[in-house]
Structure formats: structure tokens, C-alpha cells
Amino acid sequence: MFAVFCFSKNGYELLKIAIEMNQVPKYVFSCSMDYINNLNAIQKLCDQHGIKHKNMNKSLDPLSYLKDSFLKDSKEDNLLFLLFWPNILKANLISEVPRIINIHPSYLPYGKGKYGYVWAIQNNERFGASIHLVDEGIDTGAILCQEEISVEITDNGGILYDKSVMACKKVFKDNLIH
């Protein structure tokens, strides 16, 4: 069984890709700090496909939401996908869910954290999209797959970010299995 932490328009689009590929999560958790249009779109998509949805309040520990639903429902080896999730997960959540997979818009180990597209330009580093396991570090877990994006002399942060989002969607779709 798998669940999804989904944030932003990009997270919504990745969730939509998963559903189109018949990889339908049992639960989707969204974040109350997302834009209302994104929250409504995520809720509607979940309703259309019979997916249980919870909008999490940022001030509460996400593990409490998982224990009340996802972890309670399953005795299986659970899998959690982070689809453009904006928050760093706490150690207690990481230890409870053995497999957490993050979709990250940079070519790890370069561009860890936010703004990988800025570091690619500033530090002349490799850039792309990565899917990796989550551990207690920030974007330090084992890399499952990646795609490198060439950085052109005319690229700015916005252009690189858009390229990385497109690459994230491609890598996710090409490698989506659970």
C-alpha cells in the first residue's frame, strides 16, 4: 500500500500521472499552507478516484495523521511518496515508514534542499531531476534514478526550475513502480 504527501500544482500533476498509470494511492495528504486552488484540485482528484484525502495542518506532526489512517490500516510494507513536499520530515516519521521516496528537482548530490537551480548556476554544478530514498539527512538518501539537464549560458533560475519540473515528471512517469 502506498500514500502520497502532495503539495503544489507540481505535486498535483505528479499525482495525476500516477493515477493515469493505474498507480492509485490509498491515501493522499496535502498541506494547509498550499494555495486553495491546489488544495481544491487535489481534493477533487481524490474524490474522483475514491482516494482518502486529509489536509494536514502545518502545526501538527504529520506522523499523527499517518498513525490515524495509513499506518493503522496496513500491516504491509508501506511506501510514501513525497510529491514536491515543502517540509523536512522528522526522524520519528522516517523511522515509522520504512520506504519514503522523494521527487527532487536537482541532480543530487548537487542542489540539495531548496533552490537547486540557483546553486547550479552559482556553483557551475550539474543539474537535473532525481528520485531518491529519504533518510534523516536533507536529500542524502540513496538515489534511485536521475536525469541530467544541460545548463545553457542563457538559462536563469526560472528557466532551470521549469526544466527540472518537466524532468521530474518524466523521470517519475518512466520509473513509477511500487
Side-chain angles (χ1 to χ4, degrees):
M1 173 182 1
F2 79 102
V4 168
F5 278 16
C6 186
F7 185 80
S8 76
K9 180 182 176 192
N10 295 324
Y12 165 81
E13 289 173 357
L14 288 168
L15 175 61
K16 198 170 166 183
I17 288 169
I19 291 168
E20 288 168 357
M21 295 180 66
N22 294 316
Q23 300 295 315
V24 180
K26 184 164 184 176
Y27 290 95
V28 171
F29 300 89
S30 55
C31 180
S32 62
M33 60 186 235
D34 203 349
Y35 291 113
I36 191 69
N37 290 346
N38 296 334
L39 292 171
N40 289 339
I42 292 166
Q43 178 68 58
K44 183 178 178 183
L45 188 61
C46 290
D47 290 347
Q48 289 171 340
H49 295 279
I51 301 167
K52 295 175 185 176
H53 174 255
K54 290 189 184 251
N55 185 22
M56 297 190 293
N57 183 322
K58 185 180 180 339
S59 64
L60 299 176
D61 183 4
L63 183 56
S64 63
Y65 288 95
L66 290 177
K67 282 187 173 180
D68 288 343
S69 53
F70 176 58
L71 295 174
K72 186 170 105 176
D73 280 1
S74 176
K75 310 262 187 279
E76 302 171 35
D77 191 20
N78 293 317
L79 173 63
L80 175 63
F81 278 96
L82 306 180
L83 304 181
F84 277 76
W85 195 247
N87 305 315
I88 296 170
L89 301 181
K90 293 181 180 174
N92 64 343
L93 189 149
I94 294 168
S95 66
E96 285 285 332
V97 182
R99 295 182 306 152
I100 303 173
I101 297 175
N102 186 35
I103 289 73
H104 188 71
S106 76
Y107 194 82
L108 296 173
Y110 308 101
K112 293 178 183 174
K114 291 189 178 188
Y115 313 116
Y117 48 93
V118 172
W119 310 128
I121 294 170
Q122 180 177 329
N123 301 332
N124 195 28
E125 295 176 339
R126 294 170 76 181
F127 188 66
S130 303
I131 297 178
H132 68 96
L133 294 174
V134 172
D135 61 15
E136 290 187 26
I138 297 173
D139 299 325
T140 57
I143 296 167
L144 302 174
C145 54
Q146 295 180 295
E147 181 171 303
E148 190 167 3
I149 299 169
S150 63
V151 178
E152 306 299 328
I153 192 82
T154 56
D155 287 345
N156 61 32
I159 291 169
L160 282 186
Y161 180 76
D162 290 345
K163 284 182 176 182
S164 70
V165 168
M166 288 175 46
C168 282
K169 291 174 188 175
K170 179 185 180 307
V171 171
F172 183 70
K173 186 174 183 174
D174 291 349
N175 294 281
L176 181 62
I177 56 171
H178 72 274

